[in-house]
Amino acid sequence: MKTVVRYLINASALLFCFQTSTAQQFVHPGLLQGREDLARIKNGVAMRIEPIFTGYNQLKDNRQSQFDYKMQGPMEMVGRNPTVGQGVYDADANAAYQNAIMWTITADQRYAEKAKQIVDAWASKLKSITGRDAVLMAGLGPFKMVNAAEILRYTNSNWAPVKIKQAEKHFKEVIYPVIKDFALFANGNWDSAALKTMMAIAVFCNDRPMFERAIVYYQYGEGNGSLPNYIINEEGQCQESGRDQSHTQLGIAHLADCAEIAWQQGLNLYGILNDRLLRGFEYTAKYNLGENVPYLPAMDRTGKYLHAQIATEGRGKLRAVYEEVFNHYVHRANKTATFTQKAAEKVRPEPQGTPGADHIGFGTLLYSRSLQTIDPYAKVKPCTPSGLTAMPENRSIQLTWVPVRGAIFYQVKRAVNRKGKFKIISSRVINAQFKDKNVASGRKYVYTVSAVNNKGKSRDAYPAAVTAGLPAGWSVTDLDPKSKKGQARSLDSGFTVEGTGMGFTGNEEQATYIHHKLVPYQTLAVHYQPQLTSQFTGFGISFRQSAKEKGIGVNLLIYPEVLQQLEAPKWVVTCTARLHPGDSLTQAGATLNVKEPVVSFNRMTGGCWLKLVQEQNQVNSFYSADGKDWQLIGTVARNLSLTEAGIIVFSGLEAVSTTVKFDQVRLE
């Protein structure tokens, strides 16, 4: 028997909303600056409109904005912690982006040639990004490189097609692999840096699945860098507010860049969760302007970072990140942003976004605009909705998608199973969400959504399929009834499990257990898909006599043996058994240390396989990094009358759950 259930499909084809002769997947240029923005900036400089013109002088006079800038690279390898060429890459990334902007303002081809020279050189030579902080290295400077490339590609800079293809290949094969699984093990600014660069690469490379993955992660990602996990409450407190103010400003600025890219693509990430992004900026700006804000100590998603009070380190040192958000909420959305505005005015004109390539900067030039009373997208047929997700709840399915600019309402369609015909189940949904209460447990449904305004209806979003509840035969049990309740949701061929509890120690069992009936001579194999959230997480598989606490069973588990260094535990695989109800667990076989590529820098960043095989009167347990070469971990040679097979997940912490994905679950 093979479990094949889909929980969430990242969806929707993004089309150029304005009518063109051929449909396009993305709006171009469509990262931090669209065509209208570049025209507005160019006109503002030509007409000496303030504060744009003063902002232009900040850019023009910067040493990395010169067409005679001396390129410092390229290099074959760059890295962070240990540092290898970090400053070299970041300086050249700054220069590439800044020269690209200068090209659009001045029409001086020499700026375009400099920007192309830098992008081409690094795209042809850089082969790897290394170090313990590689994700951060790949999430910062490369964001500027991709923005430069996007501008050059779509502003008649005479960039050779072969060089454009080289840049696409470089971004997808050198940069993207480093950031593809985000940074769930770290503070949120890492996660959000990876997120914005992923969005940028997706747009430049016209890669819709990559873009959809990023859009969904921005809203629902398990790590510290998704919007609700970084700006943790309605007051605007941030995950790093208790760490220091520099990193807090870094994190919210990354999220703002994501929202701006989405805006250029016809999507309103700025407005989700009741303008949560603005609340984070207001809270941070208010505190850094010297005023008091409420603070609630809160454990982060990794389980490593708990700050008793808001940080004073870096307080008052405003970064060049406020103009983008101030101008959106006040001049586009016509809302109040009192402290964000004060911060923007205090920094104005925004300089380069130092240190290194942390921020774009120059926001006074790039984002200053007058009040926009009508969104241009209200005058054209809406874009296709993006980020359609379908989440099973108790006897219902909750649909959400990113609000579409200019949409008046949405139409929701549903089909039963993939071969069924779509039928409209709601024709005038006002908000970008819908709860389908007319569902049957265990049945698969497929949904799509379209946006409607006075100019017409968009194309249907890419379908999202989901099973209401778990597939037939599967159940979820908390092995310790006193633990916080865990849950599981179906994936295509596996599950996402949110688990709780301290794990398996002695005769104690605290974990979330998702299980199915086991018959003799069966095999259970699962593939862990990186990455997990709580860095104290344990997970694995089990054959048990029942779902009762402290019952007879065999377990194959991966978990961290926490050393003195909290950031560097040793990850191990063990097989344990309980031969009689209530007995302590005994180990079967040796402990295996998990090594690269599954573990890197003491983090579980790679996927791996676990397998239990029941044959005759014994159970054998196996581990594999690739699903091909299997290593025997232990054998339990007893007839234990095992009748259940399942997945075990525990967070290793009292107050924090963990999220673990198993993209393949095979019970055969």
Side-chain angles (χ1 to χ4, degrees):
M1 192 275 301
K2 201 171 184 178
T3 304
V4 183
V5 184
R6 177 159 301 181
Y7 152 53
L8 176 149
I9 302 177
N10 302 342
S12 92
L14 295 172
L15 303 176
F16 190 15
C17 299
F18 301 102
Q19 302 307 304
T20 57
S21 57
T22 58
Q24 298 182 31
Q25 194 173 23
F26 292 97
V27 179
H28 295 295
L31 296 183
L32 293 183
Q33 284 81 43
R35 198 169 301 280
E36 178 275 330
D37 296 299
L38 295 174
R40 171 180 48 78
I41 294 165
K42 182 179 178 69
N43 181 68
V45 172
M47 301 298 292
R48 294 178 174 254
I49 297 172
E50 293 294 355
I52 293 175
F53 189 70
T54 300
Y56 169 66
N57 288 329
Q58 278 281 344
L59 173 70
K60 176 176 65 69
D61 296 339
N62 188 277
R63 65 182 181 85
Q64 292 169 341
S65 301
Q66 312 308 314
F67 56 69
D68 60 356
Y69 167 84
K70 185 177 180 180
M71 186 167 52
Q72 298 186 32
M75 302 170 64
E76 288 192 355
M77 179 181 73
V78 295
R80 182 166 175 151
N81 190 14
T83 298
V84 180
Q86 178 185 339
V88 172
Y89 185 95
D90 286 353
D92 283 354
N94 289 340
Y97 175 74
Q98 290 166 215
N99 271 269
I101 292 292
M102 288 295 295
W103 145 247
T104 65
I105 295 172
T106 66
D108 187 332
Q109 186 67 29
R110 292 175 293 181
Y111 290 110
E113 294 304 316
K114 177 57 63 176
K116 287 188 291 183
Q117 177 198 21
I118 296 170
V119 175
D120 290 346
W122 281 97
S124 67
K125 189 165 185 178
L126 182 62
K127 305 302 180 188
S128 63
I129 299 176
T130 63
R132 185 176 179 83
D133 298 356
V135 175
L136 202 54
M137 177 82 206
L140 295 175
F143 182 68
K144 292 193 175 185
M145 285 284 195
V146 184
N147 271 270
E150 176 78 1
I151 292 169
L152 293 169
R153 186 175 187 176
Y154 296 102
T155 55
N156 301 315
S157 70
N158 296 318
W159 196 11
V162 66
K163 297 297 185 181
I164 294 173
K165 291 296 182 183
Q166 176 181 264
E168 284 187 336
K169 188 176 190 308
H170 168 71
F171 293 142
K172 292 190 77 169
E173 296 183 6
V174 177
I175 308 300
Y176 178 70
V178 183
I179 61 173
K180 68 180 178 64
D181 293 315
F182 306 101
L184 281 70
F185 50 80
N187 282 295
N189 76 85
W190 288 48
D191 228 11
S192 55
L195 177 58
K196 74 174 187 179
T197 300
M198 185 182 298
M199 287 183 68
I201 292 172
V203 172
F204 179 75
C205 296
N206 292 294
D207 190 320
R208 181 176 56 83
M210 185 190 299
F211 184 80
E212 289 294 334
R213 184 164 179 259
I215 285 285
V216 171
Y217 192 89
Y218 184 95
Q219 302 170 88
Y220 302 109
E222 296 89 356
N224 282 324
S226 64
L227 180 69
N229 288 345
Y230 197 76
I231 304 174
I232 65 174
N233 56 34
E234 287 291 314
E235 286 70 32
Q237 181 180 325
C238 299
Q239 182 260 315
E240 296 185 269
S241 293
R243 181 187 181 192
D244 63 61
Q245 298 308 309
S246 294
H247 284 100
T248 303
Q249 292 175 86
L250 182 66
I252 57 174
H254 293 334
L255 292 173
D257 286 342
C258 293
E260 185 61 26
I261 293 172
W263 187 262
Q264 299 296 341
Q265 299 303 322
L267 306 168
N268 185 12
L269 279 185
Y270 279 110
I272 65 171
L273 293 181
N274 193 23
D275 295 330
R276 179 72 68 88
L277 181 65
L278 175 59
R279 293 170 186 270
F281 267 85
E282 285 288 276
Y283 179 97
T284 304
K286 182 177 182 179
Y287 182 67
N288 281 280
L289 289 167
E291 299 201 31
N292 294 326
V293 293
Y295 182 80
L296 178 67
M299 180 66 77
D300 81 310
R301 289 292 293 156
T302 72
K304 296 186 296 187
Y305 310 122
L306 175 63
H307 305 287
Q309 57 190 15
I310 193 168
T312 58
E313 182 180 345
R315 187 180 188 185
K317 296 179 181 178
L318 295 172
R319 288 194 166 200
V321 301
Y322 291 95
E323 292 277 26
E324 179 181 38
V325 169
F326 156 64
N327 276 281
H328 171 79
Y329 284 105
V330 174
H331 292 151
R332 279 181 181 153
N334 197 20
K335 296 182 178 181
T336 301
T338 303
F339 297 100
T340 304
Q341 179 172 349
K342 288 180 179 180
E345 291 169 348
K346 189 171 183 178
V347 176
R348 191 175 295 158
E350 269 189 11
Q352 186 185 53
T354 56
D358 277 11
H359 308 292
I360 290 290
F362 303 114
T364 305
L365 166 69
L366 299 175
Y367 301 111
S368 292
R369 55 172 48 85
S370 56
L371 179 64
Q372 177 179 292
T373 56
I374 299 177
D375 188 340
Y377 277 68
K379 301 178 181 179
V380 296
K381 191 167 70 172
C383 291
T384 307
S386 178
L388 176 61
T389 65
M391 295 187 179
E393 296 182 347
N394 185 27
R395 299 182 181 178
S396 66
I397 294 172
Q398 179 68 53
L399 302 179
T400 60
W401 56 94
V402 179
V404 176
R405 292 174 60 188
I408 297 176
F409 58 87
Y410 303 91
Q411 187 179 81
V412 180
K413 299 177 184 178
R414 187 186 77 178
V416 178
N417 298 319
R418 290 193 174 279
K419 295 182 180 180
K421 184 178 179 180
F422 278 113
K423 296 181 180 180
I424 296 173
I425 59 173
S426 186
S427 59
R428 295 188 69 89
V429 176
I430 303 301
N431 298 315
Q433 58 182 354
F434 177 78
K435 180 173 286 190
D436 185 6
K437 298 180 180 179
N438 184 24
V439 298
S441 181
R443 178 172 289 183
K444 180 179 288 185
Y445 299 94
V446 186
Y447 298 89
T448 189
V449 176
S450 58
V452 183
N453 67 9
N454 294 329
K455 299 298 181 179
K457 184 174 71 171
S458 75
R459 293 188 179 187
D460 288 342
Y462 191 85
V466 63
T467 297
L470 296 177
W474 288 91
S475 303
V476 178
T477 301
D478 291 292
L479 293 178
D480 180 2
K482 299 185 294 294
S483 296
K484 178 184 176 183
K485 186 173 178 59
Q487 59 182 334
R489 298 188 179 99
S490 300
L491 292 168
D492 254 354
S493 299
F495 300 98
T496 293
V497 182
E498 184 177 0
T500 62
M502 296 300 294
F504 287 25
T505 56
N507 67 347
E508 294 297 321
E509 289 183 338
Q510 294 183 15
T512 298
Y513 175 47
I514 174 171
H515 50 95
H516 192 281
K517 183 179 179 181
L518 175 70
V519 298
Y521 307 107
Q522 273 196 308
T523 295
L524 173 62
V526 301
H527 180 258
Y528 153 70
Q529 179 185 355
Q531 295 181 21
L532 44 81
T533 53
S534 164
Q535 299 304 292
F536 301 87
T537 295
F539 64 88
I541 52 180
S542 182
F543 285 171
R544 299 172 67 88
Q545 201 173 77
S546 72
K548 293 181 179 179
E549 183 183 7
K550 303 176 185 178
I552 292 173
V554 179
N555 314 295
L556 179 61
L557 301 175
I558 294 179
Y559 57 90
E561 287 187 342
V562 180
L563 306 177
Q564 290 183 346
Q565 291 293 327
L566 182 64
E567 298 282 356
K570 179 173 66 175
W571 293 83
V572 298
V573 186
T574 63
C575 178
T576 62
R578 177 176 284 110
L579 304 180
H580 301 94
D583 281 0
S584 294
L585 291 167
T586 59
Q587 185 165 332
T591 297
L592 174 70
N593 293 330
V594 184
K595 300 179 180 179
E596 292 186 346
V598 179
V599 168
S600 59
F601 297 100
N602 300 95
R603 300 164 179 150
M604 280 286 296
T605 54
C608 64
W609 287 86
L610 297 173
K611 181 166 66 175
L612 286 175
V613 180
Q614 180 182 240
E615 48 190 6
Q616 295 182 346
N617 292 327
Q618 68 181 33
V619 175
N620 294 317
S621 58
F622 301 88
Y623 164 85
S624 175
D626 58 9
K628 298 176 182 178
D629 297 323
W630 293 90
Q631 184 169 351
L632 178 66
I633 302 301
T635 296
V636 179
R638 293 283 295 272
N639 184 1
L640 300 176
S641 301
L642 305 174
T643 61
E644 288 184 355
I647 299 169
I648 299 289
V649 172
F650 53 89
S651 64
L653 296 166
E654 294 283 359
V656 177
S657 65
T658 189
T659 303
V660 186
K661 294 181 181 179
F662 303 92
D663 59 349
Q664 296 189 58
V665 176
R666 301 172 182 172
L667 183 57
E668 301 171 327

